[in-house]
Amino acid sequence: MASSAYVQNRWNLSGLRRRPQAVAWANNYGVLSNGLLVPEGVEYEDFLILSDHNRGEITFAKQRLETRQRVVSGSMRSYHIADKNTVSWSWDLLPSRAFSGDPDFDPDTGLAKVSGLETFTADAGAGGVDIVKWYDDNPGSFYMFIAYDRYDKFTSDEYTRLNQYNEVMEVMFAGFEQSLVQRAGSLYDFWNISVTLEEV
């Protein structure tokens, strides 16, 4: 089961500052562990930490669900139901695999049990094959953990929350494209992948 130590060590595999990759996908809403919201389960089975390697901008398109009606006086009346998001982004030249072998992450620490592995993505996040497998295995809804500056999502210590996921959305795939760009020798291929997710 993932813990705060697990995800913090996974965030820091590349030696960069301790801030999570922008997006993780999970088949569960997650739990609080030492004040951090983390996905439950086993990585690559129950959740996937996506790589920021050559990831483009994350676009949020908001859709307001409402009924608008002009009334007798000529003004407009709106019956607001909810706001939903469509979120999209793409990767360019993403390595098809993140590691040269199975890292077999320690469930408590998030560190690879296997030594001497080469890391192919810049931050040890999921490679192209992992992302395609997640798409194939999840035809229904799943949860997207997002880490970006939304301090308004917290009620306390809101200006110190950049080091954690601050929004979780239940989503479904609305679009998925992959293309093989280059076969890069015997280690991995380079893929372009674009995804569009619709909030449930």
Side-chain angles (χ1 to χ4, degrees):
M1 175 172 143
S3 63
S4 60
Y6 181 100
V7 294
Q8 284 182 324
N9 283 326
R10 285 289 287 119
W11 297 341
N12 205 38
L13 275 180
S14 61
L16 301 172
R17 64 188 183 278
R18 284 185 177 266
R19 191 170 178 191
Q21 286 87 343
V23 180
W25 292 334
N27 61 14
N28 59 80
Y29 189 81
V31 295
L32 277 176
S33 174
N34 293 329
L36 293 178
L37 183 61
V38 297
E40 280 191 287
V42 177
E43 190 168 359
Y44 296 112
E45 293 176 21
D46 301 305
F47 68 93
L48 191 63
I49 297 174
L50 302 181
S51 180
D52 285 335
H53 185 113
N54 287 345
R55 181 190 45 74
E57 64 201 31
I58 299 173
T59 302
F60 296 84
K62 297 197 176 287
Q63 178 185 12
R64 180 150 287 174
L65 304 178
E66 64 182 345
T67 301
R68 288 187 182 184
Q69 184 176 14
R70 200 161 292 283
V71 294
V72 173
S73 67
S75 65
M76 185 73 76
R77 181 173 290 162
S78 171
Y79 298 98
H80 178 256
I81 300 163
D83 289 331
K84 296 293 183 176
N85 289 291
T86 299
V87 186
S88 59
W89 69 89
S90 62
W91 292 269
D92 292 325
L93 300 177
L94 178 68
S96 56
R97 58 183 70 188
F99 298 97
S100 58
D102 182 0
D104 191 21
F105 293 117
D106 183 292
D108 297 320
T109 66
L111 300 174
K113 293 181 188 175
V114 180
S115 61
L117 288 180
E118 286 184 81
T119 305
F120 300 136
T121 55
D123 54 6
V129 172
D130 305 315
I131 294 168
V132 171
K133 184 176 185 318
W134 185 273
Y135 173 79
D136 291 342
D137 292 347
N138 290 276
S141 69
F142 57 93
Y143 293 91
M144 177 172 62
F145 292 66
I146 309 173
Y148 68 118
D149 191 9
R150 282 300 303 264
Y151 61 86
D152 60 320
K153 297 287 184 181
F154 299 96
T155 56
S156 65
D157 300 322
E158 55 266 30
Y159 292 99
T160 62
R161 304 290 188 142
L162 276 175
N163 66 337
Q164 65 190 94
Y165 294 113
N166 49 42
E167 192 167 4
V168 179
M169 287 183 205
E170 187 176 2
V171 295
M172 296 179 78
F173 283 108
F176 189 96
E177 292 182 31
Q178 78 182 84
S179 56
L180 170 62
V181 179
Q182 182 179 0
R183 295 172 55 211
S186 61
L187 298 176
Y188 53 87
D189 296 333
F190 284 116
W191 292 6
N192 289 351
I193 297 177
S194 60
V195 297
T196 302
L197 302 164
E198 228 171 26
E199 187 175 6
V200 173

